[in-house]
Each structure stands twice: as structure tokens, then as C-alpha cells.
Amino acid sequence: MAVGAVLVATAPAQAATAFTVSGTRTLHAAPYPEQLLPAFFAEDTVTRIDYPAALFGMDKSIAVAVAGITDAIGLTAGPIVVAGFSQGAVAVARVEQALMALPEQDRPAPGRLSFV
């Protein structure tokens, strides 16, 4: 018996600042989330988080991405979407985990920040 899953992404209700993180760069540049799901980010102001995206030394590469995402969130007002692809998704997940580990009063306001 085969089991399948479908990911359905709906665009945020209002325009947001979107921080996107690509995947690992091997022999070519990996796509960014806004290239994979352009309609999802159509109303957003997209800023790409630059990081090494290296295959070798991936832990250090991810740490650079995490720092970039964290800084970007801290410097931005209003609604924010953070999206990552492949290695970038690992960095995004680590940021989300770190934010959720904070005391509730130190986390971003509910509804202000979403992760893809």
C-alpha cells in the first residue's frame, strides 16, 4: 500500500518581510524558497540570507545562517516569514527551536512570525 503526502502552502494574509535561505551549494547555486514557490511570496518583500551553504563544514555553515536569520528577525518590525530550502531549512528549524525555547514573554508576538 502506498501512502502519499501533499504540502499545501497558502500565502500569508498580509504582506510581510520574508527572509529566505537557500540549500547547499554544490556545483550550482541551490534555489531559494521564493524561486520554488513564487506565488507564496508574491506580496512580500524578500531578503535572502547569505551564508556559506557549504557541504563540507555544514555545521559552521548552518551556524552562520542561524545568526543571519536571528539578526534579521531582531532588526525587523511587522510580520515576518522565514523560509528555507534543504540546508537552509535546517537553519530555519534551529532558529524556530531557539525561539520556542525562550520564555514566552521573550518570544515574538503570536502571529508576527511564521516559518516555512
Side-chain angles (χ1 to χ4, degrees), residues 9 15-16 20 24 33-35 39 43 48 52 54 58 68-69 75-76 87 103 105-107 109-110:
T20 62
T24 306
E34 71 274 15
Q35 294 171 310
E43 301 297 319
R48 293 176 173 178
M58 191 179 292
I69 296 165
L75 296 171
T76 304
Q87 185 179 156
Q105 68 271 13
D106 295 336
R107 295 180 199 155

Side-chain angles (χ1 to χ4, degrees), residues 9-18 39-44 79-82 111 114 116:
T10 57
Q14 75 182 74
T17 300
F40 185 87
F41 300 95
E43 301 297 319
D44 300 333
I80 298 172
V81 174
V82 183
S114 59
V116 179

